[in-house]
Amino acid sequence: MDLHDYAAWLAGIDPFDTAVQKPRATLRREGTLEEFLAHVLTVHSGGLSATAVEVAGILERLPVLIVLDGLDEVARAQTRERVVEEIDRFTARLRTAFDAQLVVTTRPNVGGLAEPTPDRFEMIALDRLSDSLRTTYLHKWVDARSISEKEHRNLERIFHQRSAEPHIAQLANNPMQLTILLSLMYKRDNSVPANRTDLYTSYMETFLDREAAKTPAVNEHRTDLEEVTAFLGWQLQADAEKESGNGQLPIRELKRLILNYLFSVDKNITLVDDLFTGVTDRVWALASKTQGTFEFDVQPLREYFAARYMYEFAGADDRTFDRSEILRHLVRRSYWLNTSRFFAGFARPNELAGLVEALEEERDEGARPRQLRLSAWVLLADGVFSGRSKTQNRAADMFLDDLSVRFIHEALTQQDDLPVPTLDRGAKYLADKLLDLVSEAPASQATPERLDLAVYLLDDADAFYEWWHPHMQRAMGSGHETAWLRTGIAFHSAGRLTPQETTRLALADDLAAAAALDAGLTPAPGSQQEHRMIQAVLNGHASDLPCSASTFAASLMRVLRPQNFLRMADNAAAHLLAVVGHLAADVDAQQRQRGFKRLKERDPRFAGLQTALKFQKGQSRTTSPWSNTARVLTTLFGPSWLAAEITVIGAAAANYTTGGDLTPGSQPLGPALDHGRLLAELRRNRTDASWWSEQHGAHSDPLTRATWLLGLFAVAEEHVVNQYLPLMNATLNALPENMRQALLMSSSRIGLTIARPLSHDTLLAAAALSPAMAVAISHYAHRPDRVPFEGRDIPGLSTETLTDMALFSAAAWPVHMPLMARTLNDHRNFDFSVLQTFKALGPKSEINATRVVFPSEVAATILSSPFDYPMSIVDAAATSGGRVATMYLADVAAQARWFPA
């Protein structure tokens, strides 16, 4: 079902009636998808009628696949919001259906327009065509046209040769453009345009050349035929935006439009029939897919001709007309994004500077910050400005400000089909400029995204290392060492340092060692640097780092990542980790096996660790793997936080019975610690307050105290936790900072996934003691899958308390829900202190602010310093600030008299 048809129906137009109709001023009050489906069935049933009740009955009794196609074709923001609301309601009603699958298709959303609720759909993006798929497509294209073997080989040779060029490879990313490329290569060999607009123009010219050679009328009226087709592209595209058309025209209306157009431009109106035949009957642009109507064969052709009409004929009678004004209006409307790409592609070299200036002016106005930047980015990637290097560099400079970096970085990580400029189309210039900004402030909050974007554009490990290495050399042993090690994560650049350079690294704390680990540093076995990297793993400071290098410490982290033990305890809950900003569990079993191989090559005793991870005979559904693994790890490296966390995960794994052996003469905590005994005692004494008191009094070292705390947070019954809240608070805040940080991250992972819940009363009591205690207890009192949306606020927690809690990075995820509840419920009387809470969360926070609408002054504050806030908050601010009324482009054209009346 075409969602544009549904939108037109909501506007009072019957999309299946060929008569010309005008939309209603307001949308239908009643207009469910079931009602529209009933209308569709009635229209196509040969005279039988259908009702919404009958549609609902079909859904209840039969398996059904429903495809709602073309959400991006619903151009008007208000109508799209209504369509999305109806889709969400329809989705909710489908829960009672017998067996229904619902698919909604859309192009990428650059304008922040309404989309269906994400948690109700699985998001699937179309990948670019791979090299193998392109070749397969070529073979099928050749077969369909019965091309000779000799011509086939020649075409394939040319295609692979030209596809090695970045611009041609980009054009071959989708089937439509690949079809055009193959057609042109077949006819012209190597003479193929390297940009999008020229490609379509050449394609159209090729077909017209063929028809002109065969048909005198086409040859005689060729110029008029191209002009009329362009006009029809504009007319149909503009009508579709206004919902007064669905991209189709009845025969009479098509002839009327041609007649009126010829009259308005003072051309011979007797050409109507010849031009109608040329437009529709020849191998050209329009086709009849529905009896009695015509439409452009594919939407990109309609957009191409609409752009061509605006470029060639807008302001034709006004020598002062500025085409850049058209571009400004196009980039304000996400519906016209593809058309804007074609339009800008027509520009001549002496017009390029004006286009860049128009984009800069739009940026400075700030009305649609995200949409404008993504639109401009696509034009840069298309090579629109490549004809003039200075102008192209000026266009690339638009993406150096903080807001541009955030929007482009987010889009590249979330949209597989967003084009990327090639090195000669601004990527090299922009990457160098971004790296200059990183050099100036390596510890800036903006550095990770600036660096990611530069690396994405550069895509050259050698070039990056050449830039990074001198900075790293100067930073070795200094206060800047950690910041530059973090920049070296790209391409695992630290792995290329020489042994002499590696020994110069201080790795003064766990954070520096973890950065070195993530950057692929390869120290000598047994060296001080390797020891410090291993300690960062054992101390819990590498658990949320990818650690994808092949070093000893990275291999140790991959095989013992706590997330893997959480997934083993409850696979269904483990997905929540990535939602709030923790690293997800490793799912690549082969990678873990390779890690064990490297560990065993260093020390055969790691075979015992590999064995401990498995359920042995008689141990099925017991906690043995958790305690056995922690015990072997302690044998290898001594007591560690990593071993303690693995043990507590096993103790909190409610679906497993206590298992494993106990070391004779051991204790649950302290110098004689045995992890089998610790796990068993944590479970056995979860209700015994005196045991917890005894253990606290018997041991005072930080590791034991932190283990005691994690056991209370994750395993002890609530009355025990409440009894010891003051003691827990004192103990927590007395821990060294690095251990307190590791403890809270461990608590966050366990509380989010497998631990028993605590009440809001306990949370409020903890919040009265300290922010750190509030964060720790909140992991168990406010898990997202346990709390309905309307109950996500915690009235007893002040905004100031939430702000203090928000400072604890990824462990602060329980702050998200009450914060969003307050923002959504009180958007008219916005509490400006909430901005401080958002800022405390920081730019990496995974808070979901999809439904938030900020007052304009709040949105402006956020957008003025985007790296102070989470990305979803920046997106919400951009959307809030951009909710301005936009005229239809056809109305703009009429008002500004772009074309003859």
Side-chain angles (χ1 to χ4, degrees):
M1 187 175 76
D2 192 329
L3 284 174
H4 192 279
D5 288 346
Y6 177 51
W9 179 76
L10 287 174
I13 292 174
D14 186 347
F16 309 109
D17 187 343
T18 58
V20 178
Q21 306 165 68
K22 289 186 178 181
R24 298 164 41 152
T26 59
L27 300 177
R28 294 173 186 262
R29 293 187 61 185
E30 301 295 330
T32 66
L33 277 162
E34 289 92 340
E35 290 177 287
F36 182 65
L37 281 168
H39 180 63
V40 173
L41 291 174
T42 299
V43 169
H44 296 289
S45 65
L48 299 176
S49 63
T51 66
V53 173
E54 289 169 327
V55 170
I58 292 172
L59 295 174
E60 289 175 0
R61 296 193 308 273
L62 301 172
V64 178
L65 171 63
I66 303 165
V67 180
L68 304 179
D69 186 37
L71 179 60
D72 57 284
E73 278 291 285
V74 182
R76 190 176 173 219
Q78 180 184 357
T79 305
R80 178 156 166 161
E81 287 177 4
R82 171 67 182 281
V83 169
V84 167
E85 286 174 7
E86 295 293 350
I87 291 173
D88 281 344
R89 291 169 185 159
F90 182 61
T91 306
R93 293 192 293 272
L94 284 181
R95 292 173 182 170
T96 62
F98 172 70
D99 182 13
Q101 290 182 301
L102 178 65
V103 177
V104 180
T105 71
T106 182
R107 284 176 172 177
N109 180 6
V110 302
L113 298 173
E115 290 189 332
T117 304
D119 57 9
R120 294 182 181 176
F121 289 87
E122 179 184 358
M123 305 295 286
I124 299 174
L126 292 179
D127 283 338
R128 299 177 174 90
L129 292 177
S130 65
D131 291 341
S132 61
L133 273 177
R134 291 174 187 172
T135 302
T136 300
Y137 189 94
L138 183 152
H139 292 160
K140 292 187 175 184
W141 186 89
V142 165
D143 291 342
R145 284 153 183 78
S146 302
I147 292 173
S148 70
E149 183 63 27
K150 181 180 179 181
E151 291 175 317
H152 180 169
R153 289 196 302 271
N154 184 57
L155 175 62
E156 189 161 356
R157 177 186 60 79
I158 294 170
F159 177 72
H160 288 305
Q161 193 176 63
R162 295 299 307 274
S163 293
E165 302 169 27
H167 314 137
I168 300 297
Q170 189 181 87
L171 288 173
N173 275 338
N174 71 66
M176 173 67 187
Q177 292 174 183
L178 179 55
T179 301
I180 296 175
L181 270 174
L182 293 175
S183 298
L184 292 176
M185 287 178 178
Y186 178 61
K187 291 177 172 59
R188 301 183 177 184
D189 288 341
N190 271 311
S191 182
V192 177
N195 73 59
R196 200 162 172 268
T197 302
D198 289 347
L199 181 74
Y200 275 73
T201 299
S202 295
Y203 183 60
M204 293 297 108
E205 287 176 349
T206 300
F207 280 113
L208 263 189
D209 288 344
R210 183 183 67 184
E211 289 304 313
K214 294 191 303 184
T215 310
V218 172
N219 186 48
E220 182 182 357
H221 305 304
R222 176 169 179 160
T223 302
D224 293 328
L225 177 61
E226 292 185 72
E227 181 176 341
V228 164
T229 306
F231 163 71
L232 292 173
W234 155 257
Q235 190 70 45
L236 288 172
Q237 182 75 356
D239 284 350
E241 181 193 24
K242 296 174 72 172
E243 292 154 12
S244 58
N246 59 358
Q248 298 175 343
L249 280 176
I251 294 173
R252 287 184 60 186
E253 179 64 12
L254 183 57
K255 288 188 173 183
R256 186 189 67 80
L257 280 174
I258 295 174
L259 176 65
N260 288 349
Y261 180 74
L262 293 174
F263 180 81
S264 69
V265 295
D266 297 326
K267 291 199 173 185
N268 186 357
I269 61 174
T270 62
L271 296 177
V272 170
D273 288 334
D274 282 345
L275 292 178
F276 173 80
T277 302
V279 166
T280 59
D281 283 1
R282 304 296 167 193
V283 183
W284 185 226
L286 271 70
S288 180
K289 298 180 181 179
T290 303
Q291 184 67 32
T293 68
F294 284 90
E295 62 191 286
F296 281 87
D297 202 30
V298 290
Q299 187 175 332
L301 279 181
R302 189 177 81 195
E303 293 163 330
Y304 165 80
F305 279 109
R308 183 168 174 176
Y309 184 68
M310 285 186 283
Y311 182 81
E312 292 183 354
F313 298 103
D317 300 324
D318 180 2
R319 60 187 178 86
T320 65
F321 188 80
D322 183 2
R323 287 193 178 102
S324 65
E325 276 300 302
I326 296 179
L327 182 63
R328 293 188 66 171
H329 285 288
L330 288 172
V331 298
R332 292 172 189 171
R333 297 159 172 82
S334 59
Y335 172 78
W336 292 89
L337 171 62
N338 212 38
T339 310
S340 73
R341 297 172 70 179
F342 286 121
F343 178 84
F346 283 114
R348 296 188 295 267
N350 63 349
E351 295 174 315
L352 297 178
L355 297 186
V356 175
E357 186 174 335
L359 293 172
E360 290 171 337
E361 290 171 357
E362 280 295 300
R363 176 200 60 195
D364 295 342
E365 285 185 9
R368 299 164 189 83
R370 184 177 185 274
Q371 180 173 315
L372 179 278
R373 283 165 171 82
L374 291 181
S375 298
W377 176 266
V378 169
L379 299 184
L380 182 68
D382 283 349
V384 166
F385 311 107
S386 60
R388 288 292 179 270
S389 296
K390 288 184 178 179
T391 303
Q392 181 172 266
N393 291 345
R394 181 177 167 189
D397 283 336
M398 288 184 61
F399 306 104
L400 292 172
D401 67 285
D402 288 352
L403 202 52
S404 295
V405 170
R406 298 227 70 183
F407 285 137
I408 300 301
H409 178 269
E410 178 193 39
L412 286 174
T413 55
Q414 294 183 0
Q415 296 181 15
D416 291 336
D417 55 353
L418 186 72
V420 181
T422 55
L423 293 176
D424 62 337
R425 289 182 171 180
K428 178 66 167 63
Y429 173 86
L430 180 55
D432 288 344
K433 289 287 189 178
L434 288 166
L435 292 178
D436 287 344
L437 293 175
V438 172
S439 301
E440 293 170 9
S444 165
Q445 289 195 111
T447 287
E449 292 184 24
R450 286 172 177 164
L451 190 66
D452 279 354
L453 183 52
V455 167
Y456 197 103
L457 293 168
L458 201 58
D459 195 25
D460 185 335
D462 292 336
F464 179 81
Y465 186 76
E466 185 178 344
W467 167 82
W468 175 78
H469 187 219
H471 292 291
M472 187 69 253
Q473 285 181 311
R474 289 191 292 272
M476 289 175 179
S478 74
H480 299 295
E481 181 180 278
T482 302
W484 280 104
L485 282 170
R486 285 178 177 145
T487 64
I489 291 171
F491 303 111
H492 287 156
S493 296
R496 299 174 66 169
L497 294 175
T498 66
Q500 294 76 16
E501 289 171 330
T502 299
T503 59
R504 290 174 52 199
L505 293 171
L507 305 186
D509 55 28
D510 284 337
L511 294 180
L517 173 64
D518 211 20
L521 185 69
T522 310
S527 65
Q528 183 183 58
Q529 284 73 24
E530 183 182 68
H531 173 74
R532 288 179 176 170
M533 288 165 63
I534 293 171
Q535 283 304 123
V537 171
L538 298 174
N539 292 345
H541 290 281
S543 299
D544 281 308
L545 298 177
C547 299
S548 53
S550 301
T551 61
F552 180 79
S555 298
L556 183 66
M557 184 71 267
R558 279 202 301 278
V559 302
L560 293 176
R561 196 181 299 282
Q563 289 88 326
N564 298 332
F565 293 91
L566 289 166
R567 186 183 64 187
M568 188 163 61
D570 187 347
N571 187 48
H575 77 280
L576 293 170
L577 291 164
V579 173
V580 303
H582 286 297
L583 197 70
D586 294 323
V587 294
D588 189 341
Q590 289 185 344
Q591 192 179 59
R592 295 182 71 191
Q593 290 302 317
R594 288 193 293 270
F596 268 118
K597 182 180 179 181
R598 283 190 286 270
L599 294 175
K600 288 185 290 186
E601 287 172 351
R602 173 75 72 86
D603 187 337
R605 292 182 300 166
F606 279 99
L609 183 66
Q610 190 171 15
T611 300
L613 274 163
K614 302 174 182 176
F615 290 101
Q616 304 302 316
K617 186 176 180 180
Q619 295 179 346
S620 178
R621 303 302 298 177
T622 72
T623 59
S624 299
W626 286 271
S627 57
N628 290 343
T629 300
R631 182 185 289 122
V632 175
L633 179 60
T634 301
T635 301
L636 290 167
F637 294 103
S640 67
W641 179 251
L642 182 58
E645 182 177 354
I646 292 170
T647 302
V648 175
I649 291 171
N655 296 326
Y656 292 79
T657 58
T658 305
D661 55 358
L662 306 178
T663 302
S666 63
Q667 296 177 337
L669 292 169
L673 163 70
D674 173 68
H675 285 280
R677 190 173 297 279
L678 171 60
L679 191 154
E681 293 291 317
L682 287 174
R683 288 185 154 203
R684 182 180 301 115
N685 295 292
R686 66 180 69 198
T687 63
D688 185 354
S690 62
W691 181 85
W692 296 92
S693 177
E694 291 167 6
Q695 295 303 316
H696 185 274
H699 311 289
S700 59
D701 63 284
L703 177 58
T704 301
R705 288 284 174 87
T707 305
W708 177 85
L709 276 168
L710 188 60
L712 273 164
F713 289 143
V715 181
E717 290 294 328
E718 187 157 19
H719 74 272
V720 176
V721 174
N722 275 305
Q723 181 173 337
Y724 288 111
L725 279 177
L727 180 59
M728 293 167 69
N729 178 59
T731 304
L732 177 62
N733 287 291
L735 291 174
E737 174 59 31
N738 67 327
M739 182 158 283
R740 181 164 61 250
Q741 183 180 6
L743 165 60
L744 290 174
M745 293 294 277
S746 300
S747 172
S748 172
R749 290 188 288 266
I750 297 172
L752 182 66
T753 53
I754 65 171
R756 54 87 186 94
L758 296 174
S759 70
H760 283 181
D761 288 340
T762 301
L763 171 56
L764 295 178
L769 298 171
S770 71
M773 272 299 290
V775 167
I777 296 297
S778 68
H779 297 150
Y780 310 90
H782 216 57
R783 212 169 95 176
D785 61 338
R786 294 175 179 155
V787 186
F789 185 83
E790 59 272 14
R792 289 183 177 183
D793 197 4
I794 308 173
L797 289 182
S798 67
T799 301
E800 290 73 21
T801 299
L802 292 177
T803 302
D804 292 337
M805 293 170 64
L807 294 169
F808 289 91
S809 64
W813 57 263
V815 169
H816 298 179
M817 290 177 287
L819 187 59
M820 283 297 94
R822 294 177 194 188
T823 305
L824 290 168
N825 293 338
D826 200 24
H827 61 276
R828 292 183 180 178
N829 299 305
F830 188 81
D831 179 3
F832 277 80
S833 65
V834 167
L835 279 180
Q836 293 304 312
T837 315
F838 289 139
K839 188 178 290 190
L841 287 170
K844 295 182 180 179
S845 171
E846 295 291 338
I847 189 171
N848 184 351
T850 305
R851 299 170 56 196
V852 173
V853 179
F854 290 114
S856 57
E857 63 272 26
V858 175
T861 299
I862 294 168
L863 295 174
S864 66
S865 53
F867 275 108
D868 285 346
Y869 301 93
M871 190 64 231
S872 68
I873 298 299
V874 177
D875 282 333
T879 305
S880 303
R883 294 176 187 271
V884 292
T886 305
M887 292 174 62
Y888 294 123
L889 194 61
D891 295 336
V892 172
Q895 189 178 82
R897 298 186 178 182
W898 289 357
F899 310 111

